[in-house]
Amino acid sequence: MIKLLPLNIGNGPYLALKNIALTMLLALLTTSLFAQKVLNVDSTIRQHKFTLNEVDYLEDASDKLTFADVIKTDLASRFKANSLYYPNNKNRSSTYWYRVKVRFDRSAADKASLFEFFDQTTDEVTAYIPDAQGLYSMSKAGAKIDFDSRLYQHKNFEFLIKNPSAGEYTYYFKLKSRNLVNVIIVYRTLDYFIHYALNEYLTFGLFYGMVLIFCFHNLLMFMAVKRRQYLYYVFYVLSVGLYEMCVDGIAFQYLWPNTPAVNDFAYGTALYLLSMFALIFTKELLQVKHRARRLYKLINYALVLRTAFFLVCLFVDKSLFIYKFVEFIPLSIAFITGIRIYRNGFKPARFFVLAYAFLFTGFVIKAVSALGYSWLMPSVVGYYSLSFCFVIEMVLLSFAIGDQVRILRKEKDAAQDETIKQMHINSELKDSINQELERQVKVRTREVVEKSKEILEQSKVIEEQNEQLISINHLLEQQASEITRMNVLLEKDNIQLKTNIDKVTDARVLSAELNFEEFSAKYPDQETCYKFLSELKWKNGYQCTRCSHTSYCAGRVPYSRRCTKCSYEESALHNTIFQNNRIPINKAFYLVYLIYSSKGTISSHQLSDKLGIRQSTCWAYAIRIKKAMQEQKRSRKKDAPQGWSTLVL
């Protein structure tokens, strides 16, 4: 800092001259530090972004200043030098005037060029462009104006520079927007603008083409395997594509070019859909309901609150859509959920976590760029970071879905192998029973043969003893009759032995405690259980509970019955202890069996260990079953049937 000494003639003329020189030096330094920098354009400059002290600005809080007012000397001196890398409209209720200066040399004077504004969410930009004679012409563009009124059919805002002669020109831009925008003013030659625009639209075509390919592929997968996660993923990707189209201005150009009012809520709606389907897809893919109940509830609360905020923005105050940072909350919840479930051992979550890591990286880079720190990174990285990370995220999320399907298929194959193994065990058991029956038949047959031999010997004795012929013949007739009766009884015994295999299993169920695998041999699946309940419930005949009609037909649900008179359909579970059942029906059977066989002494913790069901659920079922046992005990008759199945109705 230069400090001026006081001017004192008494100290001599040398000191006075020194003070004058220091004053002039300070004025020169001040001018060089705060004076607006002029862009010098020659034939080598194809584009240039105006930053820092290359842009001066004037804030018009009243929104009443006209261009004639702005160029007056007193107001022109009130323009301030921009201290940010890119200027912005920090007070969104104010109108801002921006001023840049360009000096053309002779080599660039006749080359067509233009100014371009990047942020497509800017409501209105008015440019005042001087010609070679210094006369200004006005042109407008912005998200509040029909797209067809733009100079070029391009997503950004362009203003053509009148072919100037060599010299310095001052350009003014009036900007007003309800959104907080970075005012990025770019000078480009027309030929470079065409080259840049073609490359940019080619990039957009590749990006949105990938979005459509991902959607079409996963839609086909949904139609093939009927897993809802594919459908939610399609909606999520479409939301990403719609949001990118709104932010890039592509949606305004191609979807609603003559309805600029849609721009007020389009990107906000796309962000809402993105958050909603991201959370719903997270719940479905990671099976959050079964793996993390607290996070499942948190996601549901986030869905409700985000919907409420969206409705307030849409119907109360659309300006609230500018608070895009709220999307950080639902996306963070999805990210944290993925990390938590991956740490709990769910392998498909690893691709999900990696995908959201890239997405958050893109958000951070985009936020750094939006806060005016674009100079820290290449402009292409700052501008397209989010789109690039969205592409990586879509690829990784597809991997996560495929990984989950692969693991589920592996588990299904393991279950099928276990089923085949159990069927083999059942077949061996059946063969052993049949062998035992054959052995018993052989023993009985051998006994019959031996008795027949004895009869033959007796016949010989009778022949030898003629005097006892009549009595012996009569005895032989009785023995033959007895043999015939025994043969009939043997045949009946053989049939009874073959048909009573299932009854042996039932007897085991009633006589001793079986484990779940042994119990499942009798009641292996839902259809078997429903069939058993149907036969037990209507063993004395069907009667409609609504109209008492006795004629019925099959219902929509297996083993349900529909009244042919009033069409009331009653399931096999209705009016049984299993009504409103929320666990697998074969496990519910086994639970009743365990409580009955233990006479109600088994604890809910033991039931939970045996069945793999939460202790609270086992406790609730135990209360219901014990109550039924007590009622049965009070009303039981001497000849009443026994067994756990008596508790069902």
Side-chain angles (χ1 to χ4, degrees):
M1 180 177 180
I2 300 175
K3 184 177 182 181
L4 295 179
L5 297 175
L7 185 62
N8 190 344
I9 302 299
N11 291 335
Y14 174 75
L15 186 57
L17 291 174
K18 183 179 179 181
N19 280 325
I20 293 173
L22 289 174
T23 303
M24 295 177 63
L25 178 61
L26 180 60
L28 180 61
L29 289 174
T30 304
T31 303
S32 63
L33 287 174
F34 297 102
Q36 183 175 9
K37 185 177 179 181
V38 179
L39 173 63
N40 293 308
V41 177
D42 55 25
S43 59
T44 62
I45 295 180
R46 303 178 67 187
Q47 74 165 352
H48 178 80
K49 293 181 180 179
F50 291 87
T51 59
L52 296 173
N53 61 349
E54 293 178 332
V55 182
D56 285 352
Y57 73 93
L58 173 65
E59 182 179 355
D60 177 15
S62 63
D63 192 23
K64 293 182 179 179
L65 294 179
T66 64
F67 178 63
D69 297 329
V70 170
I71 61 176
K72 289 180 181 179
T73 304
D74 57 339
L75 281 179
S77 61
R78 289 168 55 186
F79 272 84
K80 299 178 182 178
N82 171 48
S83 59
L84 303 174
Y85 191 73
Y86 292 128
N88 59 48
N89 58 332
K90 59 182 179 180
N91 295 324
R92 292 177 286 106
S93 60
S94 299
T95 299
Y96 282 82
W97 291 83
Y98 297 97
R99 181 178 67 189
V100 298
K101 295 182 179 181
V102 182
R103 183 181 296 114
F104 296 92
D105 67 2
R106 293 184 180 276
S107 62
D110 296 330
K111 186 176 291 187
S113 56
L114 52 80
F115 288 107
E116 184 175 10
F117 283 72
F118 269 83
D119 201 315
Q120 295 82 14
T121 61
T122 306
D123 290 338
E124 186 175 336
V125 180
T126 305
Y128 296 89
I129 309 296
D131 57 14
Q133 289 74 34
L135 299 177
Y136 284 85
S137 59
M138 181 188 73
S139 57
K140 289 186 177 182
K144 287 289 188 181
I145 304 173
D146 288 354
F147 190 88
D148 295 338
S149 64
R150 297 187 182 183
L151 175 64
Y152 300 114
Q153 298 296 298
H154 187 258
K155 66 185 188 65
N156 295 340
F157 311 136
E158 290 85 19
F159 303 99
L160 186 64
I161 300 176
K162 309 295 183 181
N163 289 334
S165 57
E168 181 177 321
Y169 296 87
T170 302
Y171 300 90
Y172 293 88
F173 303 96
K174 179 183 177 182
L175 184 143
K176 185 172 180 60
S177 180
R178 292 185 299 175
N179 299 310
L180 183 63
V181 296
N182 286 329
V183 183
I184 305 176
I185 307 173
V186 184
Y187 166 83
R188 282 198 175 100
T189 59
L190 191 58
D191 57 345
Y192 185 78
F193 167 72
I194 295 173
H195 166 74
Y196 146 79
L198 290 175
N199 288 335
E200 186 178 35
Y201 274 85
L202 175 62
T203 304
F204 286 147
L206 293 174
F207 174 75
Y208 295 116
M210 291 182 67
V211 169
L212 292 177
I213 290 173
F214 275 111
C215 291
F216 184 69
H217 169 72
N218 285 278
L219 187 60
L220 291 178
M221 292 296 294
F222 168 73
M223 296 172 66
V225 301
K226 304 300 182 183
R227 295 188 66 85
R228 289 179 296 178
Q229 60 196 27
Y230 286 103
L231 187 61
Y232 295 145
Y233 179 68
V234 169
F235 291 147
Y236 173 68
V237 173
L238 287 176
S239 301
V240 170
L242 179 60
Y243 171 71
E244 285 293 309
M245 290 181 71
C246 294
V247 173
D248 292 332
I250 300 297
F252 188 26
Q253 180 175 357
Y254 292 107
L255 300 183
W256 53 82
N258 297 317
T259 315
V262 177
N263 293 322
D264 292 340
F265 56 86
Y267 75 89
T269 303
L271 269 180
Y272 164 71
L273 295 176
L274 189 151
S275 298
M276 294 293 289
F277 287 118
L279 291 176
I280 296 173
F281 173 69
T282 300
K283 289 199 302 182
E284 187 69 20
L285 176 69
L286 302 182
Q287 303 172 3
V288 182
K289 185 176 182 180
H290 304 290
R291 299 180 182 275
R293 293 288 298 179
R294 292 183 179 179
L295 288 174
Y296 179 77
K297 293 180 180 179
L298 179 61
I299 290 176
N300 288 335
Y301 291 146
L303 289 171
V304 173
L305 293 176
R306 183 63 183 89
T307 301
F309 179 73
F310 170 72
L311 294 176
V312 170
C313 294
L314 187 63
F315 296 108
V316 179
D317 187 0
K318 291 185 177 60
S319 64
L320 296 177
F321 277 128
I322 67 168
Y323 298 110
K324 302 177 185 178
F325 64 86
V326 298
E327 307 309 320
F328 182 79
I329 298 174
L331 294 181
S332 297
I333 293 174
F335 193 20
I336 293 170
T337 301
I339 295 174
R340 174 69 178 278
I341 292 180
Y342 175 64
R343 291 181 62 184
N344 290 342
F346 189 55
K347 290 184 178 180
R350 64 186 186 271
F351 289 111
F352 182 90
V353 173
L354 188 59
Y356 269 84
F358 275 100
L359 182 61
F360 267 83
T361 301
F363 270 113
V364 171
I365 295 174
K366 194 71 174 180
V368 169
S369 177
L371 292 174
Y373 297 100
S374 302
W375 54 274
L376 294 173
M377 64 195 77
S379 59
V380 175
V381 175
Y383 191 77
Y384 295 107
S385 61
L386 194 56
S387 300
F388 181 70
C389 290
F390 269 134
V391 172
I392 297 178
E393 185 209 22
M394 287 188 291
V395 174
L396 292 174
L397 289 180
S398 295
F399 287 166
I401 296 175
D403 196 31
Q404 186 195 43
V405 172
R406 180 184 62 80
I407 291 175
L408 291 175
R409 184 178 299 168
K410 185 177 180 181
E411 293 176 352
K412 180 180 178 181
D413 293 340
Q416 288 179 345
D417 293 340
E418 184 65 25
T419 302
I420 293 173
K421 182 179 178 181
Q422 186 63 41
M423 292 176 64
H424 182 68
I425 293 174
N426 294 341
S427 177
E428 291 179 349
L429 179 61
K430 179 180 178 181
D431 292 340
S432 65
I433 294 174
N434 289 336
Q435 290 175 1
E436 178 65 21
L437 289 174
E438 290 176 358
R439 187 187 65 80
Q440 292 181 6
V441 170
K442 288 181 180 179
V443 170
R444 296 285 184 91
T445 304
R446 189 179 300 112
E447 291 176 355
V448 172
V449 170
E450 290 176 355
K451 289 184 178 180
S452 298
K453 289 180 179 179
E454 292 177 0
I455 294 172
L456 290 174
E457 291 175 357
Q458 290 177 1
S459 298
K460 291 179 180 179
V461 172
I462 292 172
E463 290 177 356
E464 293 174 356
Q465 299 175 355
N466 292 328
E467 65 275 8
Q468 299 178 356
L469 183 61
I470 296 174
S471 60
I472 292 174
N473 286 336
H474 180 70
L475 180 62
L476 286 174
E477 290 177 358
Q478 291 179 347
Q479 289 178 345
S481 176
E482 182 66 20
I483 290 171
T484 302
R485 187 181 66 81
M486 290 178 64
N487 287 334
V488 172
L489 291 176
L490 284 174
E491 290 180 359
K492 291 183 179 180
D493 287 345
N494 289 336
I495 294 172
Q496 188 68 23
L497 286 173
K498 290 180 181 179
T499 57
N500 280 355
I501 295 175
D502 289 338
K503 292 183 179 180
V504 170
T505 304
D506 291 340
R508 290 193 64 205
V509 171
L510 293 174
S511 62
E513 180 177 334
L514 306 178
N515 59 35
F516 184 64
E517 287 74 13
E518 294 174 329
F519 191 83
S520 296
K522 178 64 178 175
Y523 307 105
D525 51 28
Q526 176 177 302
E527 184 175 357
T528 304
C529 296
Y530 278 16
K531 180 181 179 182
F532 172 76
L533 288 177
S534 176
E535 293 173 351
L536 182 65
K537 181 176 179 179
W538 290 299
K539 64 181 179 180
N540 295 326
Y542 169 81
Q543 186 175 19
C544 178
T545 57
R546 180 175 291 178
C547 67
S548 301
H549 194 60
T550 57
S551 179
Y552 67 93
C553 61
R556 292 175 296 179
V557 180
Y559 297 103
S560 65
R561 298 187 178 184
R562 178 182 292 178
C563 178
T564 57
K565 181 179 180 181
C566 66
S567 299
Y568 175 71
E569 182 175 341
E570 182 176 347
S571 69
L573 297 177
H574 185 66
N575 283 338
T576 69
I577 199 170
F578 303 113
Q579 186 169 346
N580 300 324
N581 182 55
R582 297 183 180 274
I583 62 174
I585 186 66
N586 56 344
K587 287 191 176 184
F589 270 37
Y590 188 53
L591 191 148
V592 176
Y593 164 73
L594 288 176
I595 295 175
Y596 180 85
S597 61
S598 66
K599 298 182 180 180
T601 59
I602 189 170
S603 68
S604 60
H605 292 282
Q606 292 174 315
L607 292 173
S608 178
D609 292 339
K610 288 178 178 290
L611 294 172
I613 302 174
R614 290 188 306 171
Q615 183 267 335
S616 60
T617 303
C618 294
W619 179 83
Y621 270 89
I623 293 298
R624 188 191 308 176
I625 296 166
K626 289 177 182 179
K627 182 178 179 181
M629 290 175 63
Q630 292 174 358
E631 292 177 354
Q632 185 189 63
K633 185 176 182 180
R634 288 194 298 267
S635 61
R636 179 180 295 170
K637 299 179 181 179
K638 290 184 178 181
D639 297 331
Q642 302 293 320
W644 66 272
S645 61
T646 59
L647 300 176
V648 171
L649 298 179

